[in-house]
Amino acid sequence: SPLPSQGTGALFRICLAGGAAPCTYLSPQDPRPLCHPAVDRALQLSGAGGPPHVKLTVEWDMSTKERLFGSLQEEVVQDAESVRRQQQAHGQQHSCTLDECFQLYTKEEQLAPDDAWRCPHCKVPQQGTVKLSLWTLPDILIIHLKRFRQVAEQRHKLTTLVRFPLRGLDMAPHVAQRGQPGGQLLGRWAPWQPPLRLPPGCPRDHLYDLYAVCNHHGSMQGGHYTAFCCNALDGRWYSYDDSRVEGVREAEVSTRSAYILFYQRRQA
């Protein structure tokens, strides 16, 4: 049913976040609510790292919120095209894949001249390379996405959409190569040390399936956590938001709010 046109001031309150005061409330009935001295002060305090902006939060009357939105999925507001352009202009990718994140994490890097190492044979400083690799993988793989970045004195939330698979995450390309004859050779730290080898019973299956996602909504100043979890009995995905639980489609699991991913080894 339509909402009453009168008394809308009681339905929600608009709060200006990030200003000098802890919280400044704007009037929803004002035809130009942003023409306010507090908004001008917040714009002056927005600092570097992006275009001048203000952050508004809407505090709803709960019964009205239930009538308007009904479910967590209906609360999602799609970013406007102008938001996407601003993200690209200020260094935030529109999207990437989880595999690309791992490729960057394990990418070989050349050490700076100040970090040169002394060769034990020729005794001459060498500008070497460093590379991170995964030697073994656990049955439960927890991936923490970097969602917050500090530039100078400004801290920003990264809203890049990281596309991750719900099934069949293949970690094999990111594991150190150990296919040496005569056993699973891991390598050695120095010529006088014995080679490191995998235990005989160490699993070598590198396929993982997602079973849960922790989501963060909000900013560095405050936020809210929700979760998507796959029910092991019926194989369906569900959304958990405080005391509310409801089913979701698989296509709705990967969002810009994804913060921590929980994978299980397929053959565990």
Side-chain angles (χ1 to χ4, degrees):
S1 60
L3 294 174
S5 59
Q6 296 181 348
T8 55
L11 301 182
F12 61 85
R13 296 193 300 173
I14 302 176
C15 175
L16 174 64
C23 189
T24 301
Y25 288 96
L26 307 178
S27 174
Q29 287 118 345
D30 193 327
R32 294 190 297 173
L34 295 181
C35 293
H36 194 285
V39 175
D40 296 334
R41 290 194 297 268
L43 286 171
Q44 294 174 358
L45 294 173
S46 63
H53 63 282
V54 295
K55 299 177 182 178
L56 303 177
T57 59
V58 178
E59 299 178 0
W60 287 94
D61 171 73
M62 287 305 297
S63 61
T64 305
K65 177 175 175 289
E66 297 261 346
R67 293 168 59 191
L68 283 176
F69 300 109
S71 66
L72 175 67
Q73 283 67 46
E74 293 177 4
E75 292 183 42
V76 177
V77 178
Q78 298 296 328
D79 289 339
E81 179 65 19
S82 61
V83 175
R84 187 186 68 82
R85 290 197 298 266
Q86 288 291 347
Q87 289 173 342
Q88 292 180 336
H90 293 275
Q92 289 199 34
Q93 286 182 269
H94 189 54
S95 67
C96 66
T97 65
L98 184 60
D99 188 66
E100 289 172 340
C101 293
F102 274 111
Q103 290 178 18
L104 289 174
Y105 185 74
T106 58
K107 181 180 178 181
E108 185 177 277
E109 300 178 22
Q110 187 168 18
L111 295 173
D114 294 341
D115 295 324
W117 60 281
R118 185 180 177 86
C119 176
H121 301 291
C122 65
K123 311 300 182 183
V124 176
Q126 302 288 335
Q127 188 177 352
T129 59
V130 61
K131 185 180 187 302
L132 292 175
S133 296
L134 304 176
W135 280 12
T136 60
L137 293 170
D139 288 340
I140 300 298
L141 180 64
I142 301 176
I143 302 173
H144 186 175
L145 301 178
K146 181 179 179 180
R147 283 298 184 193
F148 303 102
R149 177 179 62 184
Q150 182 162 347
V151 179
E153 297 181 356
Q154 297 291 322
R155 293 182 296 177
H156 309 277
K157 181 176 179 181
L158 303 177
T159 58
T160 302
L161 173 63
V162 179
R163 301 189 303 273
F164 48 86
L166 272 61
R167 302 179 188 85
L169 172 64
D170 187 5
M171 294 296 295
H174 313 297
V175 177
Q177 298 298 318
R178 304 188 295 266
Q180 302 291 336
Q184 293 293 312
L185 182 65
L186 291 181
R188 64 182 76 192
W189 293 107
W192 60 85
Q193 289 180 325
L196 302 174
R197 297 178 183 272
L198 279 175
C202 182
R204 297 179 178 84
D205 174 46
H206 298 145
L207 287 181
Y208 286 80
D209 297 320
L210 186 74
Y211 69 89
V213 179
C214 175
N215 302 301
H216 179 269
H217 311 271
S219 63
M220 293 286 292
Q221 287 71 34
H224 178 61
Y225 288 92
T226 63
F228 295 131
C229 299
C230 181
N231 189 307
L233 299 180
D234 60 16
R236 298 177 180 271
W237 283 88
Y238 293 87
S239 166
Y240 296 81
D241 182 7
D242 291 337
S243 60
R244 182 194 297 271
V245 179
E246 55 192 13
V248 295
R249 295 177 301 164
E250 291 187 355
E252 299 172 324
V253 174
S254 180
T255 69
R256 296 182 184 274
S257 300
Y259 191 26
I260 305 177
L261 312 178
F262 298 83
Y263 282 91
Q264 182 177 24
R265 193 193 302 270
R266 178 170 292 181
Q267 300 301 327

